[in-house]
Amino acid sequence: MSKPYYITTPIFYVNDTPHIGHAYTSLACDVLARFKRLDGFEVAFLTGTDEHGQKVAKSAAAAGVDPQAFTDKVSQHFRDMGTALGLTNTDFIRTTEPRHKRACQALWNRLVERGEVYLGRYAGWYATSDEAFYQESELTTNAAGKKIAPSGSVCEWMEEPSYFFRLSVWGERLLAFYDAHPDFILPSTRRNEVVSFVKSGLEDLSISRTALTWGVPVPDAPEHVMYVWLDALTNYLTALGYPDENADRFRTFWPADLHLMGKDILRFHAVYWPAFLMAAGLPVPQRIFAHGWWTNEGRKISKSLGNVIDPLELISTYGLDPVRYFLMREVPFGQDGDFSHAAMVRRLNSDLANDLGNLAQRALVLVQRFVEGRVPTPGPLTEADRALLDPAEALLATVREALDAQAFHKALEAVWSVIADANRYVDTQAPWTLRKTDPARLGTVLVALIDVLRRVGIVLQPFMPQTMGRLLDQLGVPVGEARTFAALALSASESLPPGTPLPPPQGLFPRVEEQKAEGRDQGSEG
Ligand code: MSP
């Protein structure tokens, strides 16, 4: 019986076309989903679109289209992005689906039954672009006299009848929960921000709107629609079959193992969401991880600046796997990072073409030229061999530990340290000399290299599935069981019997021209 693992991306607002930020969260989730599958877990991986609320209603009106037609169209762009990124999500949810309306209304009724909701009147500040309420004390005033949220969004004064959720009574219990689960919110700097926000005192939360009709109607009060964040967060339950708590999927996968998102929407996931769940008597997710934001050549990415990075364009320029690698490697996960084509080209050429690509090419060409294209028979291992193989054999455990903390960059650093060892090993063992001086030793050296490449190829599949598939093909590793992490328990000769024929090698990563990147960077500044 395999252990379950449930991971989610945020659901994306359909007011916008997909950009690098959406791609980033989705790719990180995909790497984890693939990793867990290879590690023997049964994975549910959810993504989708957030289609209700004022922001989407406004965009639809601006486009002169009915909101449903509008969301049908834009939601498809996110599905297409998922296909282009090679996402292995097991479901794609849209909040305008009937299954979701049912889940939202059931959760609402549950909160009402438990005395967590009351009718009142909201009077306060609201930022449509964040779909968020702000307290006066959080705002600044700009030159035009407008109130500005910490996110930079313009706020408007809003007054209307509204249902409220008794968030104010959950503060102490949230703090106790954070205390008892120190890894619930990561990274820890973000956790501290959340803790101080909760400590500063929570106000009851407005959870319905009457000024708006584009949303899930409140049961028995259809002049209200649900606040879009209550609606949106519920998607994580809907996809498992909620309100049917006896559904197989729900019993298997709830609570979620990981909700991953950008830092801007941490408060909703780390404060409101566990409060709603506790209030409804439902288990709280295991972890909320907030990643940082990308800037483009040092500037904030925004439509008005015209510097939005289109993931599809990146993929067509550099290829999917290099883009996946760059985004997971360049910036320590959790921190902000700056995108530039120059940085991209530098990494692809040094890490992929030089380090990994060359290693594979060198080793596999030697096999073709010196041992007739077949896996040779190894002899006894020397100290130098063990110094290479020990860390390679420990790689899975190191990578697993890093990924369990969402430290993608550390996982990749560990793999590249083994790759660097292997390149040095080729230099010091000089197989081209051994061919004449010690053919038996040559066999041992080549088998050690093939085995390191096999381990690297298997462990890197979640990051670069297509290219690592090609590497494993070239190493003669059959598709299936032999490419899962279980196969890493096998020794070199158990996994690749001597005599196995290997196909002639083909380059894995072409070098990228630097000129091209310079031209692009200048172009994008103009
Ligand atoms: N609809 C809400 C989420 C509801 S989840 C129950 C939402 N959608 S969004 O489309 O605006 O944002 C989706 C994700 O994109 C967020 O995790 C956000 O942090 C991320 N990013 C948007 N711009 C980004 C960058 N420039 N860099 C990295 N990620 C960024 O919020």
Side-chain angles (χ1 to χ4, degrees), residues 10-13 19 21-22 24-25 50 229 232-233 235-236 261-265 269 291-294 301:
I11 47 172
F12 304 115
Y13 286 129
H19 60 64
H22 306 121
Y24 188 49
T25 322
D50 189 353
W229 270 101
L233 288 161
N235 92 87
Y236 303 133
M261 74 218 56
K263 61 182 183 179
D264 54 317
I265 55 174
H269 284 83
H291 63 67
W293 270 47
W294 287 91
I301 296 177

Side-chain angles (χ1 to χ4, degrees), residues 42-125:
E42 185 188 352
V43 174
F45 168 17
L46 179 67
T47 188
T49 43
D50 189 353
E51 306 191 357
H52 288 133
Q54 193 156 342
K55 175 162 161 150
V56 171
K58 266 192 179 168
S59 299
V65 209
D66 145 76
Q68 188 63 58
F70 179 78
T71 59
D72 287 348
K73 184 168 162 227
V74 184
S75 177
Q76 186 59 40
H77 297 159
F78 284 92
R79 268 186 210 263
D80 296 344
M81 174 189 78
T83 309
L85 295 174
L87 300 189
T88 56
N89 53 300
T90 51
D91 197 352
F92 185 100
I93 191 165
R94 299 184 53 191
T95 55
T96 51
E97 290 173 76
R99 60 171 173 163
H100 183 64
K101 176 174 167 191
R102 190 168 146 251
C104 287
Q105 293 186 332
L107 184 67
W108 180 283
N109 286 334
R110 180 97 163 242
L111 293 172
V112 170
E113 280 156 28
R114 296 171 68 105
E116 302 287 349
V117 174
Y118 63 91
L119 184 61
R121 192 176 170 79
Y122 182 77
W125 296 101

